[in-house]
Amino acid sequence: MLNYFDVELSDEERLVQRTTRDWIDAEAMPLIAECFEAGQFPAQLIPRLAELGLLGASLPKYGAGLPYSCYGLICQELERCDTGLRSFVSVQSSLCMYPIYTFGTEEQKERYLPKMVRGELIACFGLTEPDHGSDPSSMETRVEPDGDGWVLNGTKMWITNGTIADLAIIWARSPDGIRGFAVETDTPGFSAREVHHKLSLRASVTAELHFQDVRLPGSAILPGTTGLGSALKCLNEARFGIAWGTVGAAMACFESALEYSKIRPQFGKPIAGFQLTQLKLADMLTAITQGQLLALQLGRLKDSGRLRPVQVSVAKRANSMMALEVARTARTILGGNGISLEHPIFRHMVNLETVITYEGTHEIHSLVIGQDLTGLAAYS
Ligand code: TGC
Ligand code: FAD
């Protein structure tokens, strides 16, 4: 644990972090590189993720109801292993359980949430479309009223968990604006196709979803959704997890580079003894510490109900780029060995290229912050 500033964690936070880390080290770390190489999500970990209370960890009543700071620490530890693992938990918890809990009926909550906490029902979140990523307000996926139900048509792209999901939270344009729907994936007309040839997030399932005249019951709508803003509320939750998770990815890269630098001799001494290596280590340590303190304050603000969405944008943007830069620097310390999957750094580095892109690109978060600072929207 990097704790240069003796960051104060509560007993509960320490316990959650320790428990998650111990399990990750024992059961996830040993198989992650192989999964990444094979392009497979380690689905065998789902039952233990559930047993440990890591699905819907911050959800009251149905989940463990932990403080958000604990959820953040869970994300940090998961992403210290691999972004794919944190992504799975982010999607299940923040992007799918959260909207059902926040916008759903009692019947929807009872039908889905207990099974989702137990890992018996996997979900995905479909907002992005092939032609509408940063600008979801232009989405083409539509629902039309049909008797006492709906008919759904359209396509969603880059959907995490898409081919393993039993349930999809789908955002679609209805006659009264964008609404969210809980779509069971065995409904006729629903199909999912895995995206192959990815060079990033290889230990995560990514899919294209296609809806052709999918007939949904009236009860499929999440009635509390009232426009794009409802989808963006879900994104605040997941972006919060990314702000923490990226600290974990950066820690893994730093620790790997530090250890390597002490045992790799060149010019007659360990490369850790060269000033340029020490400068890189000092820069990485400083950046990670700043990211850690930012994430912790984000958690404190969220737990006290004072967190503004723009603050989440600041932290998601800053920590994702921080982690990518740490990964790139750490990679140089390993020289040629840095490009091998035998070390975790390159795997994290290519994952982080996705992290600066999904959940709002680096550029989009710059514009969110710019709008907050100036009062002027510069998206179009
Ligand atoms: P705009 O007019 O600004 O906003 C529409 C309504 O939403 C409200 N709002 C928010 N509410 C809550 N939280 C936020 N962060 C919000 N941002 C905006 C806003 O007040 C407004 O409300 P109202 O009542 O006035 O209607 O919308 P816009 O169309 O101009 O878009 C703004 C923009 C560009 C920031 C937004 O579209 C955006 O964030 N784009 C990025 C798209 C994105 O992040 N996609 C992510 C897809 S999911 C994903 O990547 C999952 S990866 C999962 C994994 O594997 O971890
Ligand atoms: P575009 O929006 O086409 O952007 C391309 C470039 O243009 C970017 O650099 C962008 O910053 C820039 N740009 C766009 N608009 C502007 C502007 N106004 N000003 C300046 N620059 C701009 N989505 C989901 O809904 N659910 C998921 O589960 C999910 N999982 C994902 C998993 C992976 C592995 C990946 C790669 C993506 C995932 N996404 C998911 C999609 C992700 O959210 C989008 O890729 C992201 O929002 C960017 O959209 P885009 O790829 O269409 O890029």
Side-chain angles (χ1 to χ4, degrees):
M1 171 70 184
L2 289 177
N3 208 348
Y4 253 55
F5 285 82
D6 198 17
V7 170
E8 291 286 336
L9 296 181
S10 69
D11 289 346
E12 186 182 35
E13 287 166 342
R14 278 185 206 285
L15 179 67
V16 168
Q17 182 185 10
R18 191 76 259 164
T19 309
T20 313
R21 176 169 290 208
D22 288 349
W23 171 69
I24 288 282
D25 284 347
E27 295 183 36
M29 288 291 194
L31 42 97
I32 198 63
E34 209 174 298
C35 286
F36 186 93
E37 188 154 44
Q40 277 172 359
F41 171 68
Q44 62 270 44
L45 297 176
I46 296 174
R48 288 287 287 144
L49 277 169
E51 264 173 49
L52 289 166
L54 305 182
L55 302 179
S58 56
L59 203 68
K61 184 172 170 188
Y62 297 94
L66 293 174
Y68 274 98
S69 55
C70 290
Y71 176 54
L73 286 161
I74 290 169
C75 290
Q76 176 188 290
E77 295 307 318
L78 293 172
E79 197 152 352
R80 194 177 136 262
C81 178
D82 192 84
T83 301
L85 212 48
R86 197 269 308 139
S87 258
F88 173 82
V89 170
S90 287
V91 170
Q92 179 84 349
S93 308
S94 297
L95 293 183
C96 297
M97 295 173 79
Y98 169 83
I100 294 170
Y101 183 79
T102 308
F103 306 119
T105 60
E106 284 307 311
E107 192 197 337
Q108 287 167 330
K109 292 179 201 178
E110 291 300 324
R111 182 175 172 86
Y112 299 125
L113 294 178
K115 285 188 186 164
M116 292 174 80
V117 168
R118 294 198 298 269
E120 294 164 5
L121 188 145
I122 305 306
C124 67
F125 176 92
L127 179 64
T128 305
E129 300 185 355
D131 295 333
H132 310 285
S134 296
D135 178 21
S137 72
S138 301
M139 69 173 62
E140 293 170 55
T141 297
R142 314 186 70 83
V143 282
E144 299 293 341
D146 178 57
D148 56 3
W150 306 88
V151 179
L152 173 70
N153 278 290
T155 305
K156 297 288 178 183
M157 188 60 194
W158 298 114
I159 306 305
T160 302
N161 297 349
T163 52
I164 59 168
D166 308 288
L167 181 72
I169 302 298
I170 299 299
W171 298 88
R173 189 178 301 287
S174 78
D176 67 338
I178 293 172
R179 309 290 296 271
F181 292 81
V183 180
E184 298 187 7
T185 59
D186 59 2
T187 313
F190 183 108
S191 58
R193 193 177 59 183
E194 189 161 353
V195 175
H196 292 293
H197 312 300
K198 284 183 301 173
L199 298 175
S200 174
L201 266 286
R202 289 187 53 76
S204 171
V205 171
T206 313
E208 176 176 346
L209 309 182
H210 191 63
F211 322 117
Q212 177 140 25
D213 295 328
V214 178
R215 289 186 182 280
L216 302 175
S219 60
I221 193 166
L222 297 172
T225 56
T226 53
L228 182 63
S230 302
L232 296 177
K233 279 189 179 143
C234 305
L235 299 186
N236 292 336
E237 300 292 303
R239 291 166 177 171
F240 172 88
I242 291 176
W244 281 86
T246 44
V247 175
M251 279 178 182
C253 295
F254 173 80
E255 283 161 7
S256 175
L258 177 60
E259 286 314 304
Y260 185 91
S261 71
K262 291 182 196 165
I263 58 168
R264 173 70 176 174
Q266 285 298 299
F267 298 95
K269 66 176 183 185
I271 59 170
F274 298 125
Q275 289 183 354
L276 288 179
T277 307
Q278 293 189 3
L279 177 63
K280 290 177 187 175
L281 292 169
D283 282 346
M284 287 192 285
L285 181 279
T286 305
I288 295 169
T289 302
Q290 288 168 340
Q292 210 175 14
L293 295 174
L294 179 59
L296 193 66
Q297 181 61 6
L298 202 70
R300 299 279 180 258
L301 288 173
K302 191 158 174 63
D303 278 320
S304 63
R306 288 179 294 146
L307 188 60
R308 296 167 58 217
V310 68
Q311 293 170 317
V312 181
S313 284
V314 169
K316 188 275 180 184
R317 177 179 180 273
N319 282 2
S320 304
M321 194 52 86
M322 175 279 290
L324 180 57
E325 282 167 0
V326 164
R328 287 173 177 161
T329 304
R331 215 277 315 149
T332 67
I333 292 182
L334 270 73
N337 283 325
I339 70 156
S340 169
L341 192 50
E342 286 178 19
H343 301 272
I345 298 175
F346 208 86
R347 174 169 52 81
H348 281 297
M349 194 177 89
V350 291
N351 283 341
L352 289 161
E353 290 289 344
T354 286
V355 181
I356 63 161
T357 302
Y358 68 16
E359 292 284 357
T361 64
H362 191 76
E363 294 80 3
I364 287 296
H365 287 294
S366 308
L367 299 180
V368 170
I369 297 164
Q371 182 179 8
D372 189 72
L373 291 174
T374 65
L376 300 169
Y379 307 108
S380 55

